[in-house]
């Protein structure tokens, strides 16, 4: 798989990552996770979400005990697997031309290790800027950038079904393109 630079002025698109979940599953050592990892891909980053076994605390453990034990288990996994995770991440980064982050779930606790925060440039007219400035003035966000990220998260939470349908439709379009003449 070769990575071809785009012509001047065009966007460099990374190679397709349709098989990333299968590739990652094959690359990770057996026994790391209690279930197959979830692999989330976008243009910039691949996040590998994995679930590790919960510590056995017994029936009398409090919620606080469980949360602490789960956080400890995630931390121990992070330390014990660091070198192997780096090796796998480098291979994935080379193959798919995207940064890789690891996320681990244990019971109700989840932690996403070092991950990408990609800059997004946009032009906003005054009404949109006023919305962002109101969020900043109200203390909801520290900056316009943070206010915009907050808005995107809010839209994502309240339109998940619509976004899921849109993603499904885009997948169907991609499949039809692949079936067409080459």
């Amino acid at each position: 798989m070769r990575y071809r630079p785009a012509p001047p002025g065009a966007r460099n698109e990374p190679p397709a990552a349709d098989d990333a979940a299968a590739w990652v599953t094959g690359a990770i050592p057996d026994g790391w996770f209690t279930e197959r990892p979830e692999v989330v891909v976008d243009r910039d980053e691949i996040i590998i979400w994995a679930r590790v076994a919960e510590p056995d605390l017994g029936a009398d453990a409090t919620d606080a005990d469980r949360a602490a034990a789960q956080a400890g288990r995630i931390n121990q996994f992070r330390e014990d697997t660091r070198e192997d995770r780096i090796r796998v991440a480098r291979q994935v980064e080379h193959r798919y031309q995207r940064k890789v982050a690891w996320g681990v779930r244990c019971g109700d606790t989840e932690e996403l290790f070092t991950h990408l925060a990609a800059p997004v440039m946009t032009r906003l007219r005054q009404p949109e800027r006023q919305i962002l400035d109101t969020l900043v003035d109200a203390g909801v966000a520290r900056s316009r950038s943070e206010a915009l990220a907050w808005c995107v998260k809010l839209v994502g939470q309240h339109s998940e079904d619509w976004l899921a349908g849109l993603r499904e439709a885009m997948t169907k379009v991609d499949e039809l393109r692949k079936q067409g003449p080459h």
Side-chain angles (χ1 to χ4, degrees):
M1 213 178 287
R2 300 238 342 108
Y3 184 66
R4 294 187 202 125
R11 178 181 161 86
N12 272 337
E13 289 293 329
D18 300 342
D19 64 346
W23 197 93
V24 166
T25 299
I28 56 173
D30 291 336
W32 268 15
F33 310 128
T34 60
E35 58 191 43
R36 186 177 172 166
E38 174 190 358
V39 178
V40 181
V41 178
D42 71 11
R43 289 183 185 117
D44 303 306
E45 183 176 37
I46 296 175
I47 298 177
I48 303 168
W49 280 104
R51 183 166 294 282
V52 295
E54 290 185 60
D56 183 14
L57 296 178
D60 59 336
T62 67
D63 288 344
D65 289 340
R66 274 191 270 294
Q70 291 167 3
R73 176 65 52 94
I74 290 171
N75 184 66
Q76 194 60 49
F77 173 84
R78 185 176 190 179
E79 295 302 318
D80 290 348
T81 62
R82 184 178 312 276
E83 294 303 318
D84 287 329
R85 284 185 299 102
I86 290 170
R87 180 185 44 77
V88 170
R90 284 186 180 144
Q91 293 170 357
V92 173
E93 287 174 1
H94 178 75
R95 181 177 175 95
Y96 298 108
Q97 300 296 313
R98 295 165 173 87
K99 291 294 180 187
V100 173
W102 293 84
V104 176
R105 296 177 174 125
C106 181
D108 298 330
T109 305
E110 70 179 29
E111 184 177 345
L112 183 57
F113 306 154
T114 309
H115 57 284
L116 188 63
V120 178
M121 299 298 291
T122 186
R123 297 184 187 280
L124 299 175
R125 305 245 186 259
Q126 187 180 39
E128 290 88 11
R129 292 191 313 266
Q130 287 175 334
I131 291 169
L132 299 180
D133 290 343
T134 299
L135 293 170
V136 171
D137 293 344
V140 172
R142 293 178 299 217
S143 65
R144 283 181 173 175
S145 176
E146 193 175 283
L148 185 57
W150 184 86
C151 290
V152 170
K153 287 179 192 171
L154 187 64
V155 168
Q157 289 171 355
H158 293 288
S159 60
E160 192 55 42
D161 290 342
W162 182 82
L163 289 172
L166 182 60
R167 289 183 188 111
E168 184 179 322
M170 290 173 11
T171 300
K172 288 179 183 175
V173 168
D174 286 344
E175 289 170 1
L176 289 172
R177 279 191 190 128
K178 288 176 186 175
Q179 293 173 6
H182 296 278

